[in-house]
Amino acid sequence: MRTALHAQWILGFEDGDHILHRDADVVYEDDRIIHVGPSWRGETDLRLDMGAALISPGFIDLDALADIDHALLDSWAEHSLREGHQWSEEYFGTRRRDVFTLEDRRFIREYALAQLLLHGITTAMPIASEVHSSWAETYDDALAIAEAASRLGIRTYAGPSYRSGVNLVRTSGRRDVLWDHERGVQGLADARRFLEYAADTANPLVHGALLPCRIETMSMDLLRATARLARAYDVPVRIHSMQGTLELQLLRQWYDATPLEILERTGLLDCRLFIPHAIFGGDEENGSPPTDRELKKLADAGVTVVHCPLTSLRYGMALRSFDRYRDAGITIALGTDSHPPDLIRGMDVGGNVAKVVDGRTEAGGAAEYFRSATLNAAKSLGRCDIGRLAPGAQADLIVLDLKDFRLGVVDDPLRTLLMAGSARDVSMTVVAGRTVAADGKIPGLDLVSMRARAQELFERMRSAYTERDLHRRAPDALFPPIFPNAG
């Protein structure tokens, strides 16, 4: 089927970069783009005029929430409450359990992928919290992502998250990691099994990746085994690292090494490595950013830093700085990590934080951030057919509506969207030529019913924190409202 979309603005691709067309068409036949630019005069099966809109490449989210969001509960708490968000030593030893059934988790994955599509994400590398599981994700969890992705039509790079240890609070109140190495070995076996499934499936939307948990919850043996598996299957590895001072302190205590040194020792630095956040260097006492030498080592190794501006800022952290990492030669991609999966808000927040960090209004430029959400991410995945609108590329695109009165006037459409809009201005999402979301709806899904069920599961998740809390505090004590409830 040949489809032509006309819009006031289209962000095409020429000579290695995005380029803005005015009053133009994008035409795709089945899953491939065949024309971008001045009005198409050829035959079409369907022609739609999107009017005052920007047609853009779909966004690529390399740390994409595949869960019911926990940041709503834990991104604002003071210290005495924060320890209640971790497992207690007793819970680890005798009471750990799955808060959600496999059926619940399948629904949660579909709910999360629907959110991504409605926010203009066309390619995603999912992430979910392990806090609510008896240990970590399983092969069945990864399969649930793949099956939901196939139904809904979103491109995914997926796999079960696995670990050999868990962050918790000791009975003394001290933060630590306790280990269950057998579960780590089983998790890696599940990851290998999913890689084989992804390699065998005929679905071009499902790709395998290795997605171990945080670096401090991985034994050295499991890290080395992950690196060997990644090289054997030639797949990306994403591991959260260089993201917090506790991680730095524990790795220094156990191995007298920094996170970057651990990645090097275990062979992961030689893999196709993605590091979400990468905010801290090796100085655990001062929480300093990476040194120039550390940035060079990341750049020389070809590491992709997955920058999650909204989530980092919510937890009181910032990249120091976007321009410094880019100028060091590091490929920067973007992730959302928490709800909402809104990369437009993320780009705006990230750019403004960069201005503060660098003290320059031109810092963290919109073009660089937009490339991070499209071209850079595609390059990191080894793809030259996504993240751009050009003949021969996959028909992955989004329509951003610019007609809302609240957006105000338009100069450059991207700048207007970043300053006054959000991903809620996405009116249509197309993946591989398939319209997977339009006008706030997804074919085949009852979003009203899904929202109600998600709220029920969120309440169950919220209540389960009491079981894990060292002091067994009630949910209303762990998560007090902003203002007291009446009566």
Side-chain angles (χ1 to χ4, degrees), residues 8-9 16 22 31 42 54 65 144 153 179 189 305-306 309 324 327 332 356 386 390 397 470 476 486:
Q8 190 170 2
W9 290 278
R22 185 155 188 162
D31 66 339
L54 169 69
L65 184 70
W179 304 93
V305 168
V306 185
R324 180 170 169 257
D327 292 345
I332 305 175
V356 174
I386 61 174
L397 58 89
L470 176 64
D476 287 347

Side-chain angles (χ1 to χ4, degrees), residues 373-387:
T374 53
L375 298 174
N376 290 3
K379 174 186 173 185
S380 296
L381 293 172
R383 305 285 298 253
C384 60
D385 62 339
I386 61 174

Side-chain angles (χ1 to χ4, degrees), residues 197-240:
Y197 163 83
D200 291 342
T201 184
N203 190 340
L205 297 180
V206 176
H207 303 270
L210 288 173
L211 309 178
C213 298
R214 302 165 62 114
I215 190 171
E216 75 274 18
T217 65
M218 299 282 293
S219 70
M220 294 290 278
D221 285 345
L222 196 56
L223 290 171
R224 292 188 183 98
T226 296
R228 290 193 296 270
L229 192 60
R231 287 192 289 271
Y233 282 81
D234 189 25
V235 294
V237 182
R238 185 191 64 200
I239 185 166
H240 284 66

